[in-house]
Amino acid sequence: MNDIPLSHLLDVAICAAEAAGKHALENKERRTETNEDFAHDVKLVLDVESQKKAETMILSEFPDHGILGEEDETPNHNSAYEWVIDPIDGTMNFSHGFEYWCSSVAVRKNQKVVAGCVYAPDFNTFYTAHIEETAKVNGVPIQVSPTESLQRAMIFTGLSKEMEGSREPHLDMFRMLALNSKKVRINGAAALDLCRVADGTCDGFFETGIYLWDYAAAGLIAEQAGALMATYPRDGVPHGATVLCSNEHLIEGLRAIYTKCI
Ligand code: IPD
């Protein structure tokens, strides 16, 4: 199989993220139309519609590639390429009219993420990267923060949608980080949080209840901006993981806290 140029894959990721995000934005008066309602999550009609927009864009260019989306998947085991889509990351924010949400599209080749785009429509911001280029925001290179100690760091996190019942390591980690960092913040869109690690706005990110589509594109963007990621798959949860991400100075501190809390 011929290699597809990374720049071409990235262009398609950008177009697909834009298609999903624009569809949601242009239809935001329908943002509360709901397909399913859970204790700590909601599935919107616009989630499904927006994923379709991204898929249509991708498949018009690469009809034989696989699709793995938050809302739906169409695997193709004969193709080395698979597109990982979160049409609306930060669904709760979007449904409440809070601007902190985004559309995320990554492409994997033989299971490795090689290019990705996170588009934040309400901020008119595109975060992009492929594996041979530095990460960019709206075409301008970005870099992680230089912060050297957790005591001086602002860390972003998210609250998992699966919080019922058993002991929740996330809350233990939240407590330890709140006590040991300068500030912890919860904004509600993991992909955008990772992009804000990439552009140096915050110093690190962690979340225990996260999925591949939440971090595929943004994780690459963070890494290509100089971040280090630690990803721990969650037993029995397909595509589920705990993700830690920060600059090189803080990652061991995050890892140590995670290890104490699991
Ligand atoms: C959610 C957001 C949120 C995070 C949740 C995710 P969704 O994604 O990224 O920040 O805390 O764990 O599920 O459902 O809005 O695409």
Side-chain angles (χ1 to χ4, degrees), residues 41-43 70 86 88-92 157-161 187-191 193 207 209-211 213-214:
D41 195 24
V42 65
K43 290 280 180 200
E70 177 168 17
D86 190 346
I88 303 177
D89 181 57
T91 309
M92 275 298 282
T157 186
L159 284 177
S160 169
K161 53 185 85 172
N187 304 304
D193 286 350
E207 187 164 349
I210 204 173
Y211 291 84
W213 38 83
D214 296 314

Side-chain angles (χ1 to χ4, degrees), residues 1-2 11-12 22 31 50 59 83 87 105 131 152 175 217 227:
M1 182 184 310
N2 286 335
D11 284 346
V12 175
K22 283 238 158 87
R31 66 179 184 266
S50 300
L59 295 176
W83 293 78
V105 176
I131 49 170
R152 303 201 62 77
R175 184 170 186 280

Side-chain angles (χ1 to χ4, degrees), residues 17-26 28 87-89 94 99-104 118-126 192:
E18 186 174 25
K22 283 238 158 87
H23 181 76
L25 185 68
E26 284 163 7
K28 69 177 174 191
I88 303 177
D89 181 57
F94 174 77
E99 297 82 356
Y100 199 87
W101 64 279
C102 59
S103 301
S104 169
V118 171
Y119 169 47
D122 271 316
F123 303 123
N124 200 19
T125 301
F126 289 83
L192 212 42

